[in-house]
Amino acid sequence: MYQKQLLLILFTFAGGFVLAQQKDTASFTELDEVVVTATKTERKLSNVAVPVKVISGKTIQQSGSLRLNNILQEQPGLYITNSFGNGVQVQGLSPDYVLILVDGEPLVGRNGGVLDLNRITVNNIKKIEIVKGPSSSLYGSEAMGGVINIITQNASNSALDASLRYAKYSSIDANLSGSFKHKGFSFSAFGNRNSSDGFSNSNATVGKTVNPFYNYTGQVKIQQEFSANLKAGLGFRYFYEKQNDLYSTGSDIAYGNPDIKEYNLAPFVSYKVNANLRTTIRTYFSQFQSEAKDYLKSNNSLYYDDFFQQRFSRVESQTDLNIGSSNNLSAGGGYTWERLNTNRYSGIRTNHIAYVFLQDEHRFSGKLTAIAGIRYDDNAAYASRLSPKLALRYKADSKLALTASYGAGFKAPDFRQLYLNFTNNAAGGYTVYGANEITFAQLEQQKTAGILADISAFGYQLQLLKPEYSTGLNVGATYQFSRKLGIKLNVFRNDISNLIVTRIIATKTTGAPVYSYFNVNSAFTEGAESEVTYHFTKNLRAEAGYQFMITADKEVLRQIKAGQLYGKKQGSLVSEEVKRNEYGGLTDRSKHMANLKFFYEKSNWFATARAVYRGRWGVADKDGNLILNRDDEYAKAMLQLNLSAGIHFKNGLGIKAGVDNLLNYQDKVYQANQPGITCYATVSYALNNPNK
């Protein structure tokens, strides 16, 4: 209850200031940010017709964030999940459906469909662009829910920067970056080391809740302008992490040192034929590898062995053409090739996709802009897929702008859902089969051999998977009351069909379950989100965001409407018909999420205060009907308050300190990775020598 009261006080405090409309003569002029992710071309944020959020590098640095999940959890409408690492939900759509890019190129290496955001340091980020809603018309599979593009720093002058941060649990984060620019040549390099002793939220267990670890990130970017029309560049990124595992197997203790290795290579060439025509060719190669070998302490025998290596290669060409002063046409195509080698599957798996895309932006007048796009994907493993999108922006006057966008998205089944053949002896001996790896006949053979005790109803329904499809509608408005006060509103609806879920297909004689994947569900997420920005003075601003969201499985709604779904009240053994208002929708989604942030900056120092609220969310079925319909099936609401402050001296020295999770929110069951109050201090030094 105290969390809701504090959040209400914070919002009331901010609202009071806004409504009071203080008579401050300080003026504010917001830079019209240039974004690239929404259209794959440079566009002013004020002209983009789809929901886009930009997080500046200054905001990231002042917040004291270390990894990508830290800064994303403070943004409206985004939620950081905690299964298989830290993934991100967008408009209620799971991390499986959110494409993560670094400088426009996709990261690979998902675990359980989740790309762990802890792999990405934020210390060299120029800005983050977040596009909400289906984006498959430009980016293909995995962009059903949206795209998050991390744009890293380019060399702007000759500089050398270093920083060192120390926090609770001996957490150390060190950074070193340098850049050089002369005439048409530029070079930048960045290095990061992050480590922690880990922590445990229970003294009764062996090992730690978060294992001790250390990791390194390195990045190099080179660019050469050969002439006013021709330039080429190369980007290289490397990540390495090692952990210390220690846990109980029930009868013994297991230990190990799993590691991750990742690298990305991205060359490009861009040629400007004339003022209206430009062609860019990009190539990209990425490899992600994780390896874990755990041993039993009693006899040093191998207990758990896991190897996973994914390679992704792509070549893409894009041509941008300006037709007159009111029409911009972008056309392109490419080819991707993937290879997966893992002992979780029976053999090496490969796939390739050829694609083309076309997008046209037309300005009918000074007020109306329309964007139409379409992409065709020819997936070697599946039938072809056509993904359209249409977006409109109408600028009614200097204060009011209206937007609407509709798009289709898709996600082909990944290697895991197709080819997984994995038994986890470290977690009870359960087995997971990809849809292409198991048949009903094989289940019967295992039952006859005494491996299986029984086959469930889903075991009789095994079949090949189909791609998941989605359609998304976003309708929004932006109103700038004054240079101080601006409001953004957006209403959204996402419908997903052929949703891929896991089901128990059999039970072993040991009692361990056997899982596989099915296209069984259709679902939707819908809601409204708002953002308010208010500048009290030229030094102090407040930002507030709120999202209201409803989610549901359409088949569950049909059963409730037909009176076919029953549940048990808490503490009762009597089955009763479930009512529509009792159904809580999809698990791990909150109906209410909000944030409130204050930023103060004057001369060479700054201070921030950021509150993040998430309403209760469903976590487990307690009465056996496989849906959320009881209060004890939810995790409690959370509220976090983060503070930071810093000062920069003229000699290049900087000092920053902060406290994350000041209210000491902890949930040892459903948010086990949350360490409680965390204090930190950072020292930095910057040496800049601009070339004239």
Side-chain angles (χ1 to χ4, degrees), residues 39-347:
T39 60
K40 271 198 173 181
T41 55
E42 292 186 351
R43 290 289 180 270
K44 289 185 177 180
L45 182 58
S46 60
N47 293 330
V48 175
V50 297
V52 181
K53 171 73 175 178
V54 178
I55 310 171
S56 69
K58 177 186 285 189
T59 297
I60 296 171
Q61 294 302 317
Q62 291 185 351
S63 70
S65 298
L66 280 184
R67 316 305 282 185
L68 185 59
N69 54 293
N70 300 139
I71 190 66
L72 291 185
Q73 72 175 352
E74 296 183 353
Q75 309 310 312
L78 302 186
Y79 168 64
I80 303 302
T81 64
N82 290 284
S83 179
F84 299 103
N86 288 145
V88 59
Q89 283 182 10
V90 177
Q91 290 185 344
L93 296 181
S94 298
D96 310 45
Y97 311 127
V98 181
L99 183 63
I100 308 294
L101 309 174
V102 172
D103 292 324
E105 303 293 354
L107 294 180
V108 299
R110 292 174 180 260
N111 186 11
V114 175
L115 194 144
D116 189 1
L117 305 179
N118 273 308
R119 283 161 46 189
I120 307 170
T121 180
V122 301
N123 287 285
N124 67 328
I125 292 180
K126 179 182 178 181
K127 62 180 176 179
I128 301 172
E129 296 179 1
I130 303 166
V131 179
K132 297 180 180 180
S135 300
S136 292
S137 63
L138 283 177
Y139 295 99
S141 183
E142 294 182 6
M144 286 175 60
V147 178
I148 297 177
N149 190 7
I150 298 98
I151 300 173
T152 60
Q153 294 283 359
N154 290 318
S156 57
N157 53 32
S158 297
L160 183 64
D161 301 272
S163 68
L164 180 66
R165 162 173 158 154
Y166 182 84
K168 192 176 181 181
Y169 305 117
S170 299
S171 299
I172 300 174
D173 189 79
N175 299 278
L176 180 65
S177 62
S179 63
F180 173 79
K181 189 172 185 180
H182 181 67
K183 295 183 178 180
F185 176 78
S186 64
F187 171 88
S188 64
F190 167 80
N192 169 264
R193 186 186 191 277
N194 181 237
S195 63
S196 172
D197 287 347
F199 70 91
S200 177
N201 56 28
S202 174
N203 295 325
T205 59
V206 176
K208 296 185 176 182
T209 305
V210 172
N211 292 323
F213 71 90
Y214 65 88
N215 60 50
Y216 295 92
T217 301
Q219 184 171 18
V220 173
K221 298 174 77 173
I222 303 172
Q223 185 170 303
Q224 175 69 55
E225 294 183 6
F226 297 98
S227 68
N229 296 331
L230 177 63
K231 65 179 178 180
L234 172 69
F236 176 76
R237 177 180 175 272
Y238 178 79
F239 175 80
Y240 175 79
E241 179 173 279
K242 183 178 285 289
Q243 296 184 14
N244 293 327
D245 272 358
L246 184 68
Y247 57 93
S248 172
T249 67
S251 58
D252 206 335
I253 303 297
Y255 69 94
N257 298 108
D259 63 23
I260 293 173
K261 300 173 184 177
E262 175 191 7
Y263 64 88
N264 321 116
L265 182 66
F268 78 91
V269 176
S270 179
Y271 181 67
K272 185 177 180 181
V273 180
N274 53 48
N276 295 316
L277 181 62
R278 178 190 295 274
T279 294
T280 303
I281 298 176
R282 307 179 186 91
T283 57
Y284 180 66
F285 179 80
S286 178
Q287 177 173 293
F288 174 90
Q289 178 177 306
S290 64
E291 188 170 12
K293 290 181 180 292
D294 292 345
Y295 301 86
L296 296 177
K297 273 198 167 184
S298 60
N299 54 17
N300 290 325
S301 62
L302 185 63
Y303 176 68
Y304 177 76
D305 184 8
D306 181 59
F307 176 80
F308 180 94
Q309 184 189 79
Q310 182 179 2
R311 292 178 181 173
F312 178 94
S313 301
R314 180 173 72 181
V315 58
E316 179 180 279
S317 175
Q318 178 177 330
T319 298
D320 303 312
L321 174 64
N322 298 326
I323 305 173
S325 60
S326 61
N327 203 80
N328 302 101
L329 184 68
S330 296
Y335 182 88
T336 66
W337 177 82
E338 290 185 82
R339 175 184 183 273
L340 196 62
N341 179 18
T342 173
N343 57 9
R344 303 176 194 175
Y345 306 169
S346 54

Side-chain angles (χ1 to χ4, degrees), residues 251-495:
S251 58
D252 206 335
I253 303 297
Y255 69 94
N257 298 108
D259 63 23
I260 293 173
K261 300 173 184 177
E262 175 191 7
Y263 64 88
N264 321 116
L265 182 66
F268 78 91
V269 176
S270 179
Y271 181 67
K272 185 177 180 181
V273 180
N274 53 48
N276 295 316
L277 181 62
R278 178 190 295 274
T279 294
T280 303
I281 298 176
R282 307 179 186 91
T283 57
Y284 180 66
F285 179 80
S286 178
Q287 177 173 293
F288 174 90
Q289 178 177 306
S290 64
E291 188 170 12
K293 290 181 180 292
D294 292 345
Y295 301 86
L296 296 177
K297 273 198 167 184
S298 60
N299 54 17
N300 290 325
S301 62
L302 185 63
Y303 176 68
Y304 177 76
D305 184 8
D306 181 59
F307 176 80
F308 180 94
Q309 184 189 79
Q310 182 179 2
R311 292 178 181 173
F312 178 94
S313 301
R314 180 173 72 181
V315 58
E316 179 180 279
S317 175
Q318 178 177 330
T319 298
D320 303 312
L321 174 64
N322 298 326
I323 305 173
S325 60
S326 61
N327 203 80
N328 302 101
L329 184 68
S330 296
Y335 182 88
T336 66
W337 177 82
E338 290 185 82
R339 175 184 183 273
L340 196 62
N341 179 18
T342 173
N343 57 9
R344 303 176 194 175
Y345 306 169
S346 54
I348 295 175
R349 304 294 178 174
T350 62
N351 189 27
H352 57 87
I353 302 169
Y355 63 91
V356 292
F357 61 88
L358 179 68
Q359 179 174 269
D360 184 65
E361 177 181 332
H362 189 82
R363 294 173 292 281
F364 292 95
S365 65
K367 293 188 175 183
L368 179 62
T369 300
I371 300 176
I374 193 165
R375 172 168 164 146
Y376 175 81
D377 283 84
D378 182 19
N379 191 315
Y382 294 95
S384 59
R385 173 63 180 167
L386 204 61
S387 303
K389 187 161 190 173
L390 176 65
L392 300 171
R393 181 180 180 88
Y394 180 73
K395 191 173 182 180
D397 52 39
S398 60
K399 294 185 176 182
L400 176 64
L402 305 174
T403 60
S405 63
Y406 174 85
F410 81 100
K411 180 181 179 297
D414 57 31
F415 287 115
R416 164 184 57 102
Q417 295 162 338
L418 294 174
Y419 305 119
L420 189 62
N421 189 339
F422 176 66
T423 298
N424 192 342
N425 293 320
Y430 71 85
T431 295
V432 185
Y433 289 113
N436 289 17
E437 291 295 301
I438 192 68
T439 64
F440 174 69
Q442 290 173 318
L443 290 179
E444 284 190 313
Q445 292 174 3
Q446 292 184 21
K447 185 176 181 181
T448 302
I451 300 173
L452 300 180
D454 62 78
I455 301 173
S456 76
F458 289 107
Y460 291 84
Q461 301 172 22
L462 287 167
Q463 59 182 325
L464 297 181
L465 291 176
K466 302 174 183 178
E468 299 171 277
Y469 298 121
S470 74
T471 57
L473 176 65
N474 284 268
V475 178
T478 301
Y479 193 82
Q480 195 70 35
F481 287 90
S482 66
R483 287 184 294 180
K484 292 184 176 183
L485 176 61
I487 294 179
K488 292 182 181 180
L489 301 173
N490 185 60
V491 178
F492 62 88
R493 165 88 182 202
N494 296 290
D495 287 89

Side-chain angles (χ1 to χ4, degrees), residues 413 463-468 497-501 517-521:
Q463 59 182 325
L464 297 181
L465 291 176
K466 302 174 183 178
E468 299 171 277
S497 59
N498 291 339
L499 191 66
I500 297 175
V501 298
Y517 298 91
F518 294 83
N519 293 112
V520 296
N521 286 22

Side-chain angles (χ1 to χ4, degrees), residues 503-564:
R503 290 285 187 261
I504 295 176
I505 59 174
T507 303
K508 296 182 180 182
T509 53
T510 61
V514 180
Y515 299 91
S516 190
Y517 298 91
F518 294 83
N519 293 112
V520 296
N521 286 22
S522 293
F524 72 83
T525 71
E526 63 182 13
E529 51 195 8
S530 63
E531 293 184 59
V532 180
T533 301
Y534 185 74
H535 291 253
F536 300 108
T537 69
K538 65 179 181 180
N539 304 116
L540 176 63
R541 80 178 190 274
E543 298 177 5
Y546 171 73
Q547 177 180 277
F548 172 81
M549 183 174 66
I550 296 174
T551 67
D553 181 319
K554 294 181 181 180
E555 173 61 20
V556 172
L557 290 181
R558 187 198 66 77
Q559 294 177 8
I560 292 175
K561 186 176 181 179
Q564 300 173 342

